[in-house]
Amino acid sequence: DRITQKHFVEKMVIFCGTVFVIALLITVFQINVESFNVDMKYAQYGNPIWFLVFPILFGVVILLISDAISKLKVLNTAISTLGYHSMAIMYLHVPILYLLRSAIQGDAIVQQVFKAMVALLLSCIVSIIFNRFSLTRILFLSGDISKLKDYLRGKNGTKGE
């Protein structure tokens, strides 16, 4: 128990220290003491030190947050479910949001969050439905044309499913 507490305190110190350094650097860049401009299109990466430091700092923060989330069962399950259905979410959320545009009017944050939640929910429902049938799973979720050929030949699944 003592080792777990010590480990937790160490992680919190690293997390808080990293967030503090990020906040400090952002403040320095905001008051124009130092500049940090990156334009990858024209291969202008600015100061190479900052170009390396920021991804490392944000990477540490993301790793610590993901470690904390992995210990929270409900949140871990919810994020894992979204990850499992991410392909359907990626392709379906835009048309769903387009359809919701006229149904739910307004640009307030509440309407935007509600539209996002509805788009996520409907995308996940479609993904669940597509996963239930071999043909829709192969056509829309696998991306492997050889599976479709096998399906059409009657291998690895039945056509009448």
Side-chain angles (χ1 to χ4, degrees):
D1 187 40
R2 199 158 191 26
I3 295 172
T4 307
Q5 272 186 326
K6 183 180 177 187
H7 190 64
F8 174 76
V9 170
E10 288 173 355
K11 283 186 178 183
M12 285 306 296
V13 168
I14 293 170
F15 178 78
C16 292
T18 306
V19 169
F20 175 76
V21 170
I22 290 171
L24 183 67
L25 288 173
I26 289 173
T27 304
V28 165
F29 294 131
Q30 286 296 318
I31 59 175
N32 293 323
V33 172
E34 179 76 30
S35 67
F36 180 64
N37 296 321
V38 175
D39 189 347
M40 296 176 98
K41 181 178 180 182
Y42 297 107
Q44 296 175 352
Y45 300 108
N47 186 334
I49 302 296
W50 299 132
F51 192 72
L52 293 173
V53 167
F54 269 112
I56 291 169
L57 290 174
F58 278 100
V60 168
V61 170
I62 289 169
L63 284 173
L64 291 170
I65 290 171
S66 65
D67 183 53
I69 287 173
S70 71
K71 291 176 176 57
L72 302 172
K73 190 74 172 162
V74 173
L75 196 54
N76 188 18
T77 303
I79 291 173
S80 295
T81 302
L82 288 176
Y84 182 78
H85 298 293
S86 62
M87 187 68 74
I89 293 169
M90 181 179 74
Y91 287 113
L92 294 175
H93 81 279
V94 173
I96 291 171
L97 288 174
Y98 181 78
L99 294 172
L100 290 175
R101 181 181 56 161
S102 60
I104 303 170
Q105 305 248 329
D107 286 333
I109 190 74
V110 174
Q111 282 101 351
Q112 296 299 325
V113 169
F114 183 70
K115 287 181 202 177
M117 298 301 285
V118 169
L120 276 173
L121 182 65
L122 290 176
S123 297
C124 286
I125 289 170
V126 169
S127 179
I128 290 167
I129 292 169
F130 281 1
N131 268 316
R132 295 201 31 99
F133 304 101
S134 295
L135 183 60
T136 54
R137 185 173 46 249
I138 291 167
L139 287 174
F140 297 107
L141 301 174
S142 79
D144 187 359
I145 195 73
S146 64
K147 290 181 182 178
L148 179 61
K149 289 177 184 176
D150 290 343
Y151 176 82
L152 292 174
R153 288 186 195 124
K155 299 177 186 174
N156 297 337
T158 59
K159 283 187 185 180
E161 201 178 358

